[in-house]
Amino acid sequence: MVIVVLALLAGVHRYLWRRLVGDTTAEGSALRRAGTVAAYVLPLLSVGALVAGRAGAPFRLQQVLAWPGYLWLAAVLYLTLALLAGEAVRPVLRRLPVRRTGRSDDADTTPAAGADPASDANDVNHSNLSAGVSDAPGAGTSAAPATLVAEAPARPRPDAPGRRLFVARAVGGAAAVAGLGTVGFGTYGVLRGPRVKRITVPLAKLPRSAHGFRIAVVSDIHLGPILGRAHTRRIVDTINRTQPDLVAVVGDLVDGTVADLGPAAEPLALLRARHGNYFVTGNHEYYSGAAQWVDQVRELGLHPLENDRVEIDGFDLAGVNDVAGESEGQGPDFDRALGDRDRSRAAVLLAHQPVVIHDAVAHGVDLQLSGHTHGGQLWPGNFIADLANPTGAGLDRYGDTQLYVSRGAGAWGPPVRVGAPSDITVVELASLRA
């Protein structure tokens, strides 16, 4: 499988080099040399960014590799998509007619690389001689037809070197602007911070006393080599401005160890909610030392729900470990979290991955709050997210259980989001008895 992936990446980079460098620059030029070097260095940086953390590289090195390496991964995606779209218009551009005005793009008056200047000069002299003969008195032709032929649109040769170069540069330039512009806009969306989304979820068992209870749901913050303390502070400030009754952090807080990212997580201590702040693990916590992070968030004032529940005014709040914890014997335990509760009370479950929704239905959960999917993060990844999860993003219903999936407040890998803006969701519970 690894060989297949590497072969695919090599093929994609070969295609990018050909269309953006090989077809648009002269052989031996400085631009071609620079483009060729970039075609080798950038993918190596991407591989370095992907493996540095798992390999235990110093955190500073991870940060150095992360920005160019991860951004290039996003750039590869959108440059490739833009160039593939350009393949459809490339034949059209090469066949557009031009008007001859004594000189034309396809007259080949400028020698292409490798052309014989003497041969071109002979062609020009031959054309001038022919023109002189046709204009001479008694040549048997009139001047008017010659004028009409000279001004008529000429059908260019699609294989003309000048036209090929023009089309290659036009398509390559447009693809570069579109692809890199998309990445730039998507990066701005992540670094700007998540926006607040508000939804109302009616629960049949919720008493009137809990009507209007507001839960600020934040998932997939992904603190790491790129997103750090400033990112956490933006999220905390945004949540506090909503004045929630309860904050739920539903996993994938970090991509790294407490030693490296502890300071980045410290602003979480500033979260303010009347009924407290709660946390459940995501799969990335188990890649980063879940036990240490559970202790760390507890010190910051969050209450970890490790297959556990608490009673809130009007409903039960439960949380289960992420399914990735099964490899450490710490996976989700629904019986422990929900097995002996009073089912006449409404139950809200915090679970990082939407895939556990069927367990939630079996245990009588009224609302499950999840993340994990990022909403696909990078279009067209939303289609993959929809296929791999019961719900890719938003609110859905499974029997008597409702499932809400947040797109998350950060980004994994490339700090880029396209078609899946980051969010913090304020879920307002509504009582049908009100």
Side-chain angles (χ1 to χ4, degrees):
M1 182 63 181
V2 174
I3 296 177
V4 173
V5 172
L6 291 176
L8 177 62
L9 288 175
V12 168
H13 279 84
R14 172 63 182 172
Y15 172 72
L16 291 177
W17 179 89
R18 177 188 169 195
R19 287 308 192 199
L20 295 177
V21 180
D23 290 351
T24 62
T25 60
E27 186 173 355
S29 67
L31 283 176
R32 177 168 291 197
R33 288 195 297 269
T36 302
V37 169
Y40 283 98
V41 172
L42 289 172
L44 290 177
L45 290 174
S46 297
V47 172
L50 288 169
V51 305
R54 300 289 180 89
F59 189 64
R60 181 56 183 163
L61 177 60
Q62 294 180 42
Q63 291 177 306
V64 169
L65 294 172
W67 274 104
Y70 282 130
L71 284 176
W72 177 243
L73 287 177
V76 166
L77 172 62
Y78 291 108
L79 286 173
T80 301
L81 291 176
L83 285 170
L84 289 175
E87 299 295 347
V89 300
R90 188 182 298 271
V92 177
L93 292 177
R94 290 177 61 180
R95 286 169 173 77
L96 286 178
V98 296
R99 295 184 64 87
R100 290 183 179 174
T101 57
R103 297 174 64 92
S104 72
D105 291 342
D106 294 301
D108 292 341
T109 56
T110 300
D116 183 0
S119 174
D120 290 342
N122 290 337
D123 290 343
V124 173
N125 292 336
H126 179 72
S127 299
N128 292 338
L129 179 60
S130 299
V133 172
S134 62
D135 290 342
T141 58
S142 65
T147 302
L148 290 175
V149 170
E151 294 182 355
R155 189 175 186 82
R157 300 196 312 273
D159 60 340
R163 175 52 63 95
R164 286 202 307 271
L165 182 60
F166 168 77
V167 170
R169 288 177 174 175
V171 173
V177 170
L180 298 180
T182 299
V183 172
F185 183 77
T187 303
Y188 167 75
V190 171
L191 299 183
R192 174 197 60 194
R195 292 297 184 251
V196 175
K197 180 180 178 181
R198 298 177 185 271
I199 64 169
T200 300
V201 180
L203 300 180
K205 299 176 186 177
L206 192 74
R208 294 178 62 183
S209 61
H211 180 75
F213 192 98
R214 289 171 298 121
I215 303 174
V217 180
V218 58
S219 73
D220 302 280
I221 296 174
H222 284 289
L223 301 178
I226 292 179
L227 301 176
R229 188 184 182 94
H231 180 63
T232 310
R233 188 57 190 260
R234 282 191 294 268
I235 290 171
V236 169
D237 290 344
T238 301
I239 291 174
N240 287 343
R241 282 195 295 268
T242 69
Q243 299 182 325
D245 297 305
L246 183 148
V247 175
V249 181
V250 288
D252 278 9
L253 170 64
V254 292
D255 284 306
T257 65
V258 171
D260 291 332
L261 296 174
E266 287 177 355
L268 293 174
L270 301 175
L271 284 169
R272 297 289 179 263
R274 290 192 302 131
H275 291 272
N277 312 308
Y278 293 86
F279 170 82
V280 293
T281 55
N283 54 306
H284 282 251
E285 271 72 61
Y286 291 97
Y287 310 148
S288 307
Q292 291 80 10
W293 275 111
V294 167
D295 292 339
Q296 181 72 9
V297 298
R298 185 180 286 113
E299 291 183 9
L300 295 175
L302 280 72
H303 305 285
L305 290 175
E306 297 181 276
N307 298 322
D308 201 0
R309 76 173 183 276
V310 295
E311 290 188 1
I312 307 294
D313 292 344
F315 65 95
D316 294 335
L317 179 71
V320 292
N321 295 342
D322 186 70
V323 295
E326 292 175 349
S327 62
E328 302 178 13
Q330 299 292 327
D333 189 335
F334 284 84
D335 289 334
R336 179 180 164 189
L338 296 161
D340 60 348
R341 75 178 192 87
D342 180 1
R343 290 206 175 194
S344 67
R345 288 171 55 85
V348 176
L349 174 69
L350 309 183
H352 177 63
Q353 297 196 41
V355 294
V356 301
I357 182 61
H358 302 296
D359 293 298
V361 172
H363 286 81
V365 169
D366 298 276
L367 172 64
Q368 176 179 318
L369 301 174
S370 298
H372 183 65
T373 69
H374 296 210
Q377 185 169 326
L378 297 170
W379 184 93
N382 56 303
F383 299 111
I384 299 174
D386 289 340
L387 290 173
N389 297 275
T391 297
L395 186 64
D396 213 339
R397 177 178 287 275
Y398 295 83
D400 294 330
T401 302
Q402 296 182 78
L403 168 65
Y404 178 74
V405 181
S406 168
R407 290 189 176 94
W412 179 83
V416 183
R417 281 179 172 267
V418 178
S422 57
D423 67 64
I424 293 167
T425 305
V426 176
V427 178
E428 183 172 329
L429 306 181
S431 172
L432 298 181
R433 306 172 187 177

